[in-house]
Amino acid sequence: MQIFKVGGAVRDRLLGIPVTDVDRVVVGATTEEMLAQGFRPVGADFPVFLHPKTGEEYALARTERKSGRGYGGFTFHASPEVTLEEDLIRRDLTINAIAEDDQQNLTDPYHGQRDLEARILRHVSPAFAEDPLRVLRVARFAARYASLGFIVAPETLELMRQLSESGELQALTAERSWKEISRALMEDQPQVFIQVLRDCGALKELMPEVDALFGVPQPEVHHPEIDTGLHTLSVLEQSALHKQPLTVRWACLLHDLGKGLTPEEEWPRHIAHEHTGLNLIKAVNERFKAPKDCQELALLVGKYHTHCHRALELKASTLLELLQSFDVYRRPQRFEEFIGACEMDARGRKGLEQRSYPQADYLRGAAQAAREVAVQPLLEKGFKGPELGEALKRERLKALKAYKDRASA
């Protein structure tokens, strides 16, 4: 029995960056031998075990053969006869197909070290094209390592293009797709993920609503970058630079979908794109079964982001309606995330990345003014039920008018 570290643990150590997950492959062992040593089996698909003391994963060396569509369409074979090289060849990228023993001796049959030095994301073998999930994985790695200068090898991008055109991407489950998308959005350069998907034709298959934004112009006076797709990439980039959470990054990706529906004769204006985009946002949310908080924020940002940009001009009654829509009294964090997404939208414009965004603090102040309206005095006056709600609304409107007066003084 021989045990090797493989995958990300080896790759990231060689790159000199922190190692988070450690995967190990066991060569020359049987399931019975692993169980006899106290390893606990996990997963029904193939033999993976948890170490009895550390809880880390150990997988028996295995080969795989395509047997159906999609990510799950594989037959696995694990036995003591499977060699380390046979196990490594089934992996996606050469930089993930390097093994390391306890003395840090490397086994690198597919030249992963060479590609690490050249900053290339290259597939290990033609079998890469059998697994559609790898399109998303490679795009995610491109986003993760873009700051180190990594690019996707042209021949790998071509295989990704063939996969995209084959219809195999449609066989991916929502859960598997969302796992890759959400992880990619949390990388340092999530815009690279979207760009790579677009370069290989996968964006058109997975998110045609986002792909449709490229080539759609906006008024240059507000958007010096003009192209709506490029603007979306810039907004995503800003969301990562400002360390925004996943909810905000997802909303940033989807906020302008309505502009993809604007008839060409109306370009570069996009009247009411906030409302026309809502059904598209709903469709993308449902397609990937995004978590509820991501879904809600994406819809709210899509509907109200121009309200945020015009916050200083809004009437007190419109301000109140905005605050009510977000339920700022019970869910203050959601409103804060909305403000964050809108600020990223404002900063995601060519040459305007550093421009101040006074609307953010103005809206925070408005929310605070509305929250400070006390309910108790209204109860003491005998208001209850629907009448109490109306009285509270009137008092909050009064407070917002006073806030606006103070802010403009």
Side-chain angles (χ1 to χ4, degrees):
M1 181 191 297
Q2 292 177 289
I3 298 174
F4 299 88
K5 285 182 185 174
V6 290
V10 183
R11 176 195 69 227
D12 289 348
R13 184 184 73 76
L14 293 173
L15 285 172
I17 60 180
V19 172
T20 51
D21 296 318
V22 180
D23 292 320
R24 291 178 174 84
V25 66
V26 184
V27 178
T30 64
T31 296
E32 291 72 26
E33 287 170 329
M34 297 296 284
L35 295 174
Q37 293 191 31
F39 283 84
R40 301 190 308 278
V42 292
D45 294 335
F46 42 78
V48 178
F49 302 85
L50 299 182
H51 191 281
K53 292 180 180 174
T54 66
E56 292 180 323
E57 285 194 0
Y58 288 68
L60 292 188
R62 63 187 188 268
T63 59
E64 61 186 33
R65 184 171 54 82
K66 185 77 168 168
S67 59
R69 291 192 79 205
Y71 166 76
F74 291 90
T75 302
F76 296 96
H77 169 68
S79 82
E81 287 73 42
V82 177
T83 66
L84 180 60
E85 288 75 12
E86 286 174 327
D87 182 88
L88 293 175
I89 200 171
R90 67 178 177 78
R91 296 174 186 272
D92 50 6
L93 298 172
T94 60
I95 64 169
N96 296 331
I98 309 170
E100 177 183 280
D101 66 16
D102 288 344
Q103 283 74 49
Q104 293 192 339
N105 297 312
L106 298 176
T107 301
D108 182 16
Y110 308 108
H111 311 297
Q113 292 175 90
R114 185 181 66 192
D115 285 341
L116 280 175
E117 289 169 14
R119 300 302 196 242
I120 294 287
L121 301 173
R122 190 192 315 275
H123 62 284
V124 176
S125 78
F128 173 94
E130 295 177 350
D131 184 355
L133 189 68
R134 288 177 169 176
V135 172
L136 290 167
R137 276 176 56 82
V138 172
R140 174 166 64 82
F141 280 123
R144 175 180 296 179
Y145 296 117
S147 60
L148 298 178
F150 276 84
I151 60 167
V152 181
E155 61 270 30
T156 302
L157 198 65
E158 178 56 34
L159 277 184
M160 292 164 69
R161 186 175 293 110
Q162 290 173 21
L163 259 174
S164 300
E165 291 171 355
S166 72
E168 278 268 319
L169 292 176
Q170 306 306 324
L172 291 174
T173 65
E175 291 78 11
R176 290 298 309 183
S177 297
W178 176 255
K179 186 177 180 183
E180 291 296 328
I181 291 166
S182 59
R183 290 177 72 184
L185 289 179
M186 293 308 294
E187 299 290 2
D188 286 342
Q189 296 200 36
Q191 77 283 2
V192 173
F193 172 71
I194 299 299
Q195 185 62 62
V196 170
L197 290 183
R198 184 160 190 269
D199 290 343
C200 71
L203 190 62
K204 186 168 59 179
E205 297 298 318
L206 295 167
M207 299 185 203
E209 301 87 349
V210 176
D211 191 68
L213 299 178
F214 290 86
V216 174
Q218 303 169 103
E220 189 174 2
V221 63
H222 301 303
H223 287 276
E225 72 286 348
I226 300 175
D227 188 286
T228 309
L230 296 181
H231 166 63
T232 299
L233 295 182
S234 296
V235 176
L236 258 189
E237 182 178 15
Q238 289 298 315
S239 74
L241 284 171
H242 290 268
K243 309 295 183 190
Q244 296 289 353
L246 176 61
T247 46
V248 172
R249 298 187 192 202
W250 182 242
C252 286
L253 177 62
L254 306 185
H255 77 286
D256 263 349
L257 292 189
K259 290 181 179 178
L261 295 177
T262 305
E264 285 188 32
E265 59 270 20
E266 294 180 18
W267 288 354
R269 299 179 71 204
H270 299 278
I271 298 165
H273 74 276
E274 307 89 347
H275 294 282
T276 56
L278 292 180
N279 283 335
L280 298 182
I281 295 172
K282 281 179 190 167
V284 179
N285 275 336
E286 290 167 9
R287 185 178 312 137
F288 298 109
K289 295 183 181 174
K292 190 178 178 185
D293 56 349
C294 288
Q295 293 201 28
E296 288 178 353
L297 189 69
L299 285 165
L300 287 164
V301 171
K303 186 174 182 179
Y304 291 113
H305 62 278
T306 51
H307 275 59
C308 191
H309 299 329
R310 294 186 295 105
L312 304 176
E313 309 155 25
L314 297 180
K315 296 185 296 185
S317 57
T318 309
L319 261 180
L320 180 60
E321 182 189 321
L322 179 67
L323 297 176
Q324 304 274 82
S325 298
F326 279 85
D327 193 7
V328 295
Y329 318 107
R330 292 181 299 178
R331 301 186 63 180
Q333 183 58 32
R334 184 169 67 174
F335 192 60
E336 186 59 38
E337 290 176 357
F338 164 73
I339 292 172
C342 294
E343 184 169 352
M344 298 308 99
D345 182 27
R347 291 184 183 280
R349 297 179 294 163
K350 191 176 179 182
L352 303 177
E353 296 86 356
Q354 304 303 320
R355 181 180 280 192
S356 64
Y357 193 69
Q359 295 93 323
D361 282 338
Y362 180 80
L363 282 179
R364 289 186 185 108
Q368 188 58 32
R371 281 193 205 101
E372 286 173 355
V373 173
V375 181
Q376 193 58 36
L378 299 176
L379 291 171
E380 289 168 1
K381 287 181 180 176
F383 288 108
K384 56 186 175 182
E387 287 184 345
L388 175 62
E390 287 302 313
L392 197 53
K393 208 170 173 181
R394 285 195 298 272
E395 291 303 310
R396 284 171 175 162
L397 186 59
K398 211 181 295 180
L400 286 172
K401 283 178 178 173
Y403 172 76
K404 277 186 68 65
D405 289 342
R406 289 195 304 274
S408 59

